[in-house]
Amino acid sequence: MIEPFLRPVEVTALRPTQMTVGMSEVERKRRLWREHSERDGPEFLGRHMLPVVLGPDERHWLIDHHHLALALHQEGAGHVLVNIVADLRVLKRQAFLVFMDNRNWLHPYDAQGKRQPAKDLPKSIADLGDDPFRSLAGALRRAGGYAKVPTPYSEFLWADFLRRRISAEKLAKNPEAALTKALSIARDKDADFLPGWCGAQD
């Protein structure tokens, strides 16, 4: 491991460690960026450094803030500041992926919540797929359905929980009704194993 330090990296050079994002969440972050870009663009980016692991072939693997990275890319940002939290260049690719998986720095699950081989992870931020239930999970947290916690990929755990209880058709046709239902079931005892659960204890 190395001491964290910062460096600018091309957004398109970042390697994702997950397969999907919630595109509604990406759009929300695009709006936030547009609000700040003219007034304090550089300062805004300086406050939102992206954590990466340096892997084989000098590649920067993004381990958090995929939504922000994609939003910045779609808004035309060429470079972002990254915080290198680990240097694993010494590892061969397969050993690197195993190590990343064991550290919970990979989330190779598709838009149906099914695990896929790590080799199928997107090669670029621009290739991330859309998981509408990840957007619903983000909206649920902001609405107070559960608390923000440092558990890696906690929003995806909530997304998968919601996916099994709310139909994709309902979510697509009426996101507000889906959020109302999500707020109700988020407090059920069935959800008490999830990070940030805010339901009532017996």
Side-chain angles (χ1 to χ4, degrees), residues 13-29:
L14 296 173
R15 293 295 294 267
T17 54
Q18 62 194 53
M19 293 185 156
T20 65
V21 289
M23 289 299 177
S24 294
E25 294 286 282
V26 172
E27 181 55 36
R28 187 178 66 84
K29 290 186 181 294

Side-chain angles (χ1 to χ4, degrees), residues 1-128:
M1 304 295 280
I2 60 173
E3 288 298 317
F5 65 95
L6 310 177
R7 67 169 61 168
V9 172
E10 289 185 15
V11 180
T12 53
L14 296 173
R15 293 295 294 267
T17 54
Q18 62 194 53
M19 293 185 156
T20 65
V21 289
M23 289 299 177
S24 294
E25 294 286 282
V26 172
E27 181 55 36
R28 187 178 66 84
K29 290 186 181 294
R30 290 184 68 177
R31 292 194 298 270
L32 180 64
W33 165 245
R34 287 195 293 268
E35 291 173 6
H36 287 272
S37 60
E38 291 187 8
R39 184 175 70 249
D40 60 351
E43 290 80 7
F44 178 84
L45 286 178
R47 294 192 302 271
H48 294 80
M49 294 164 289
L50 306 181
V52 301
V53 171
L54 197 56
D57 300 321
E58 306 286 331
R59 299 195 185 281
H60 295 80
W61 291 74
L62 184 64
I63 59 173
D64 200 1
H65 302 313
H66 288 70
H67 292 80
L68 176 60
L70 181 54
L72 292 172
H73 169 63
Q74 291 179 349
E75 287 297 309
H79 291 76
V80 292
L81 281 178
V82 299
N83 177 12
I84 299 177
V85 299
D87 185 346
L88 302 177
R89 287 175 293 178
V90 68
L91 297 179
K92 299 296 185 183
R93 180 178 171 83
Q94 188 56 39
F96 170 77
L97 292 174
V98 169
F99 184 90
M100 293 283 285
D101 202 11
N102 287 337
R103 288 295 300 270
N104 204 19
W105 282 343
L106 291 183
H107 191 77
Y109 290 81
D110 64 19
Q112 285 71 50
K114 297 179 180 178
R115 186 179 175 93
Q116 301 298 329
K119 66 180 179 62
D120 293 339
L121 284 163
K123 301 295 190 293
S124 168
I125 288 296
D127 297 328
L128 286 163

